[in-house]
Amino acid sequence: MSVSPATLPPVLLHSEAELARAALATPLLSRAVRLARWAGPETRVGAGGELVDAQLPAAAAELGLAADDPDAAAYASEAWRVAVDTGLIDVTDAEEEGGEGTVTQGEDLAVLSGGSPQDVLAVWLGALDTVYADATVPDMDNLLDVLEEKGEVDFAELGWDPQAEADFLDGVLGNLYLLTVGDSAAGEGPVPLPALAASMIVPDDMGEPTDDVLEQVSDAMMKLDDQFRLFEPLGLVEYQPVDEALMTEIDDAEEPAPVADEDVTRYGMVRLTPLGLYGVRARMLEAGVDAPAVGDLADKGADALLEGAAGFPQAAAQAEIEQWLTRHEPLPAARELLAAARGGDENAPLRRLRCQQALSLVGGEAEPALREVLDDAELGGLARVWLTERGAADVPAPTEALVFWLTIDTLAAQLAAEGNSDELQGLVEGLAQQHSGFFATAWRVDHPATADVLEAMGRLHPDKKVAKEARKAAFKARSQQGQ
């Protein structure tokens, strides 16, 4: 499984107990459990462990499916396959060729009622593997047509490449995962199916998609519609399928029609459930993808916390820091955080920003640690801010040099965290307005990021005269630093 970023944003997962309860409540796993408890010595299975056709009506009835439901046999067959694949049912092959196997309840069936949440989730992940495999096989109607015509299957003729199909589905779920956990994610909102399909088909540098590309997107949507319909009963996604009437319209159209905003829900809407986030992440980890979760740093040192959370979105960093602080006493924690925040490397400003974020959550017990660094060139400014905000007495006034150094350090951190954001632009405009001689002094600040910050201010400030001053100051700073 591959997604674009080398390291994904961290995901905030539900507890394993909550996820296990959700897994047990999914329609597909529930059906598999019911069939496993129903199965016995009289249950007839074929050579591959599948229920023989004559048993399917009884299995469907056990699941409470109506006898006249055209999908009843398919639902029963799917649930049986999941039960076998996950170890809820053990099948012993027939002793004679052409005979029928025997069935007993598997050891993992007891796990679902008496095992740990991790045990339950392991069974659910096994079910996910089964459905995943089903989702990447060729269309059965096409497969049967080829069999009837030639007596054998030429997968190349079907246009089916097993690895390509798996890679496509991995990419789609990876993109959906990234859209869910990313800093710019819409949060709880579903993703339109056309957007998800386009993310796999349309090149990033393409302006207006060609008709050929639009047709590929349409084909991908239809494929994803089938796949998400399979995943929904397992609780991987919440899915609003493509409108059946729309499919007819697409089939009848001579060329692809543009997607109107007001009609976007007709084209299908999907989002990962909390259980789905857990499942996709588990598959990513198995494939060697770095997919962190909030809480991974809770038992690490402050250096690992600040370095790791430096690249996290704001909300994820806050959640990670809160978990870390629950395992540490305020005063030792503050000392450890301050020590880890030191440095002149490229990531240091963002580490100090996360340090400030963490220190804002600790109580007055941490005050001695902040007073200990008042004379520190890198930490003295943030220590004064912390003490002043809490109304501490005898806080020494900062020197002008310290104020400017802290300003550059803060802007460097904001630039690293958010890029050229509206918030940073507002901060830049405010600084230039409040301090008329800001650039005349700022270029002299002995900070590794001074030139980069001033250059960014020149890029962000809307006033051409002020922007020019910033760029001139950046040039002076680079000259001073020998760059």
Side-chain angles (χ1 to χ4, degrees):
M1 176 174 288
S2 61
V3 289
S4 298
T7 300
L8 292 162
V11 58
L12 182 58
L13 296 172
H14 287 202
S15 70
E16 288 185 333
E18 291 176 290
L19 293 172
R21 286 193 294 271
L24 289 171
T26 59
L28 182 52
L29 189 56
S30 298
R31 290 173 188 157
V33 170
R34 289 180 68 176
L35 289 187
R37 290 174 176 154
W38 162 80
E42 303 302 318
T43 306
R44 299 167 55 199
V45 295
E50 74 284 0
L51 282 174
V52 299
D53 289 346
Q55 289 268 232
L56 289 174
E62 177 63 24
L63 296 177
L65 300 171
D68 58 353
D69 184 344
D71 297 320
Y75 288 144
S77 180
E78 180 187 37
W80 180 266
R81 190 167 60 257
V82 167
V84 172
D85 289 351
T86 56
L88 304 182
I89 293 173
D90 288 335
V91 176
T92 303
D93 293 335
E95 295 182 2
E96 298 179 3
E97 186 175 350
E100 294 178 353
T102 57
V103 174
T104 56
Q105 291 184 350
E107 292 182 1
D108 284 341
L109 183 58
V111 163
L112 295 184
S113 56
S116 67
Q118 295 95 323
D119 294 333
V120 172
L121 290 170
V123 173
W124 182 84
L125 287 172
L128 176 58
D129 288 342
T130 297
V131 178
Y132 215 89
D134 289 347
T136 55
V137 298
D139 180 85
M140 290 304 296
D141 291 335
N142 291 341
L143 188 62
L144 291 173
D145 289 343
V146 174
L147 276 172
E148 289 177 2
E149 182 180 343
K150 298 186 175 181
E152 61 183 18
V153 178
D154 182 350
F155 289 121
E157 184 177 330
L158 286 173
W160 184 62
D161 179 341
Q163 189 58 53
E165 292 293 330
D167 289 345
F168 178 82
L169 186 53
D170 284 345
V172 166
L173 291 177
N175 285 351
L176 188 55
Y177 182 95
L178 187 57
L179 287 168
T180 306
V181 305
D183 193 19
S184 59
E188 297 299 318
V191 178
L193 203 58
L196 194 56
S199 73
M200 297 296 297
I201 303 295
V202 182
D204 292 337
D205 57 354
M206 176 175 280
E208 189 70 23
T210 63
D211 287 348
D212 180 59
V213 168
L214 289 174
E215 186 174 350
Q216 291 180 52
V217 171
S218 180
D219 290 343
M221 283 171 52
M222 295 303 100
K223 179 193 297 184
L224 291 174
D225 182 65
D226 290 336
Q227 291 171 329
F228 287 136
R229 287 173 192 258
L230 289 175
F231 283 128
E232 186 175 36
L234 190 61
L236 189 81
V237 296
E238 290 179 10
Y239 183 53
Q240 177 182 322
V242 176
D243 187 341
E244 297 287 350
L246 182 63
M247 292 186 184
T248 303
E249 293 172 18
I250 291 175
D251 290 339
D252 293 342
E254 294 184 1
E255 58 183 51
V259 178
D261 290 342
E262 64 272 15
D263 293 331
V264 71
T265 58
R266 296 183 65 202
Y267 290 79
M269 303 289 286
V270 64
R271 63 178 166 191
L272 287 173
T273 65
L275 187 59
L277 281 171
Y278 170 84
V280 174
R281 177 176 180 264
R283 290 184 63 87
M284 286 180 172
L285 293 176
E286 187 177 352
V289 177
D290 186 1
V294 171
D296 284 351
L297 304 176
D299 59 351
K300 304 291 193 299
D303 52 348
L305 173 71
L306 297 185
E307 194 67 39
F312 287 6
Q314 177 72 11
Q318 182 82 359
E320 187 71 62
I321 288 167
E322 287 174 356
Q323 290 201 27
W324 188 88
L325 287 172
T326 61
R327 302 191 183 194
H328 296 77
E329 293 297 321
L331 182 55
R335 286 182 172 135
E336 191 179 345
L337 287 164
L338 289 164
R342 288 190 173 93
D345 57 281
E346 185 179 357
N347 291 334
L350 199 43
R351 286 203 307 275
R352 283 186 282 272
L353 182 66
R354 295 302 182 221
C355 177
Q356 285 181 283
Q357 191 175 349
L359 291 172
S360 70
L361 302 175
V362 300
E365 306 97 310
E367 182 174 335
L370 277 298
R371 289 194 177 277
E372 290 165 6
V373 298
L374 281 171
D375 295 330
D376 189 288
E378 296 175 347
L379 305 176
L382 69 85
R384 284 170 172 78
V385 171
W386 189 93
L387 290 166
T388 301
E389 286 179 345
R390 281 157 183 75
D394 302 322
V395 180
T399 63
E400 182 183 69
L402 185 58
V403 170
F404 272 82
W405 193 95
L406 182 60
T407 301
I408 294 294
D409 196 58
T410 301
L411 289 172
Q414 294 285 354
L415 191 62
E418 303 174 8
N420 299 334
S421 66
D422 292 340
E423 182 181 349
L424 183 58
Q425 182 174 342
L427 188 60
V428 166
E429 291 180 34
L431 275 172
Q433 185 176 359
Q434 293 169 22
H435 305 280
S436 57
F438 177 81
F439 298 112
T441 303
W443 71 267
R444 305 176 190 272
V445 174
D446 186 18
H447 190 293
T450 297
D452 290 336
V453 167
L454 292 172
E455 202 169 77
M457 292 182 76
R459 197 168 55 243
L460 290 169
H461 204 288
D463 187 296
K464 291 184 178 180
K465 181 180 178 182
V466 176
K468 184 177 180 180
E469 286 183 47
R471 290 194 295 272
K472 287 175 63 177
F475 178 79
K476 290 181 180 179
R478 292 200 188 282
S479 301
Q480 177 179 258
Q481 294 171 353
Q483 297 180 12

